[in-house]
Amino acid sequence: MSKNSKGLGRGIDALFQDFSNFEEVDVQKEQIVEIKLSELRPNPYQPRKTFDEAGLKELASSIEQSGVFQPIIVRKSDVKGYEIIAGERRFRASKIANKETIPAIIREFDEAAMMQIAVLENLQREDLNALEEAEAYDMLMTNLDLTQSELAEKLGKSRPYIANYLRLLSLPESVKALLQEEKISMGIARTLLGLKDENQIVPVAKKVIAEHLTVRQLEKLVNDLNNDDGKPKTKTVITRKVVKPYYISESEERLMDKFGTSVNIQEKGGKGKIEIEYLSKDDLTRILDILEISFDE
C-alpha cells in the first residue's frame, strides 16, 4: 500500500481488495517483456488530466541514466496494441527520454477492473486535484452503480465528504477549468457554490483571482451578495482591520483549503487557538473524517 492510502479511510481495500497490490511484481511467476512505446496507449479511465512536467522531466532524466526499474502493467487492447493499466508516468517519462521500449507485464483485466485500478492508483498517491477527485467519485458511482452512501462506506468516508466533492461538478465549466488548473482552491470553489444567484458565480470567481481574495474574504462577499435586497444601506460601519502576521494568515489559508471551511487562528504571547467552523452535524463528521477521528473506537 502507498503511504498515502491511510487518508482514504479503512474501507479502501474493501472496494479494491483484488487490486490493492496489483503492481507488486513476482518475477518468478510473471514474465516481464519489452513493449514498444508506439504500441501503448493510456488507460481510457485515467482520472488524472494533468501531469507535473517538472516531475516528468526529472523521472525522464533518471530513466536515461538507469532505465525503468518497475515494469508498467498493461493489457492487450481489443483494437490494437496495449492499454496501460498502471504506470502512465513511467510511459510518459520514457517518451521524453527518447526510449523506444519499456518493460511491462501483461495481465488480463475487464473494463470494470481497468476503471477501478485507474482511480485507486491516483487516490492512493494523492495525485488528483479536487476536480479530478470529484470526477473519479462520479465515475465510480456511475460504472459500479453505487449511491453516494454506498461509495462513502466502501471508501471509509462520510457521505457529506463525497457529496462536497461531487457538488464541485455543478460549477460552471469556466470555473471548473480554474479549479482544474488550480487557480482557485477547493475552499474557494465550495464557497462560490454558496451563492444564491448562480449567475454570480463566474464574475465572483474572476473577482477572486483578480483581487487575490482569501476564503474568508470570499465568504464575507458571498454573505453580502446573498443578503443584498437591493435597498439602499442606511448605515455604514467602519471597522479597523487587524493585520495578522504572514505565517498566521498563510497557515489559515492552508487549513481552509484542507478542511473546506473557515479557519481562524488567534495568537497572543506565543500561545493561541485554532477555530474550525462547521455548518452542520454532517459537516462536523466530514471534518472529523479528514482528521481521522472516530468516536466508535
Side-chain angles (χ1 to χ4, degrees):
M1 273 290 183
S2 161
K3 66 182 179 180
N4 292 323
S5 62
K6 183 178 179 182
L8 298 177
R10 292 182 294 274
I12 187 68
D13 289 330
L15 179 59
F16 300 110
Q17 56 187 343
D18 295 332
F19 314 111
S20 58
N21 297 313
F22 68 92
E23 259 200 294
E24 291 184 4
V25 178
D26 187 337
V27 294
Q28 295 180 347
K29 293 182 179 180
E30 297 192 275
Q31 183 180 4
I32 301 174
V33 297
E34 290 287 332
I35 295 180
K36 292 182 179 179
L37 296 179
S38 59
E39 296 182 358
L40 294 166
R41 64 188 183 94
N43 188 330
Y45 301 107
Q46 168 66 263
R48 184 164 43 152
K49 303 299 189 298
T50 57
F51 290 79
D52 177 42
E53 291 298 325
L56 283 176
K57 290 179 180 178
E58 184 178 343
L59 180 57
S61 177
S62 173
I63 289 174
E64 284 179 344
Q65 298 295 322
S66 309
V68 177
F69 287 113
Q70 186 176 23
I72 65 173
I73 310 296
V74 303
R75 75 165 184 173
K76 286 187 178 180
S77 173
D78 293 335
V79 182
K80 184 180 179 182
Y82 302 86
E83 292 178 338
I84 298 171
I85 298 174
E88 188 172 341
R89 285 189 74 253
R90 280 161 276 167
F91 163 71
R92 288 173 175 258
S94 293
K95 291 179 70 174
I96 295 174
N98 294 316
K99 295 292 184 179
E100 294 186 358
T101 64
I102 190 170
I105 290 175
I106 304 172
R107 294 185 181 175
E108 294 184 5
F109 284 106
D110 59 20
E111 296 298 313
M114 287 282 286
M115 181 269 299
Q116 293 178 48
I117 290 170
V119 174
L120 169 64
E121 183 185 24
N122 286 286
L123 287 179
Q124 284 187 334
R125 295 174 182 174
E126 297 184 353
D127 282 343
L128 304 179
N129 60 42
L131 184 62
E132 290 170 340
E133 187 169 343
E135 291 173 339
Y137 292 149
D138 184 60
M139 181 171 63
L140 286 172
M141 290 174 57
T142 301
N143 286 275
L144 299 181
D145 194 24
L146 299 171
T147 65
Q148 288 186 20
S149 296
E150 289 169 340
L151 179 61
E153 182 178 356
K154 288 181 179 296
L155 293 178
K157 296 291 186 182
S158 69
R159 192 200 63 77
Y161 179 92
I162 300 296
N164 280 330
Y165 273 91
L166 292 174
R167 285 183 66 216
L168 300 176
L169 300 179
S170 65
L171 288 165
E173 291 300 321
S174 61
V175 180
K176 285 197 286 189
L178 296 175
L179 185 59
Q180 172 72 41
E181 297 164 7
E182 299 185 355
K183 292 182 179 179
I184 61 173
S185 66
M186 181 178 177
I188 291 290
R190 287 188 67 236
T191 305
L192 288 170
L193 286 168
L195 283 163
K196 293 180 180 178
D197 183 356
E198 295 181 357
N199 294 324
Q200 293 179 321
I201 293 179
V202 173
V204 172
K206 292 179 179 178
K207 181 180 178 68
V208 167
I209 295 175
E211 300 181 13
H212 306 287
L213 299 183
T214 65
V215 174
R216 182 170 288 108
Q217 289 170 329
L218 177 59
E219 286 176 339
K220 183 180 184 307
L221 175 61
V222 168
N223 184 63
D224 289 344
L225 290 172
N226 286 343
N227 293 326
D228 185 6
D229 55 8
K231 297 179 181 179
K233 303 297 183 292
T234 58
K235 183 178 180 181
T236 300
V237 178
I238 300 176
T239 58
R240 181 181 176 184
K241 183 178 180 180
V242 178
V243 179
K244 295 184 178 181
Y246 174 78
Y247 73 93
I248 293 292
S249 58
E250 179 69 15
S251 297
E252 286 180 337
E253 284 292 317
R254 293 176 63 183
L255 289 171
M256 283 189 282
D257 283 346
K258 181 176 181 63
F259 295 113
T261 190
S262 293
V263 176
N264 180 41
I265 300 178
Q266 298 181 23
E267 183 186 53
K268 185 176 182 181
K271 298 187 297 183
K273 60 181 180 180
I274 300 175
E275 297 177 342
I276 303 174
E277 180 180 294
Y278 62 91
L279 304 178
S280 64
K281 289 183 179 179
D282 283 343
D283 202 29
L284 173 59
T285 300
R286 177 186 64 82
I287 293 171
L288 292 176
D289 279 345
I290 296 174
L291 291 169
E292 295 186 341
I293 295 175
S294 173
F295 295 114
D296 298 330
E297 299 177 350

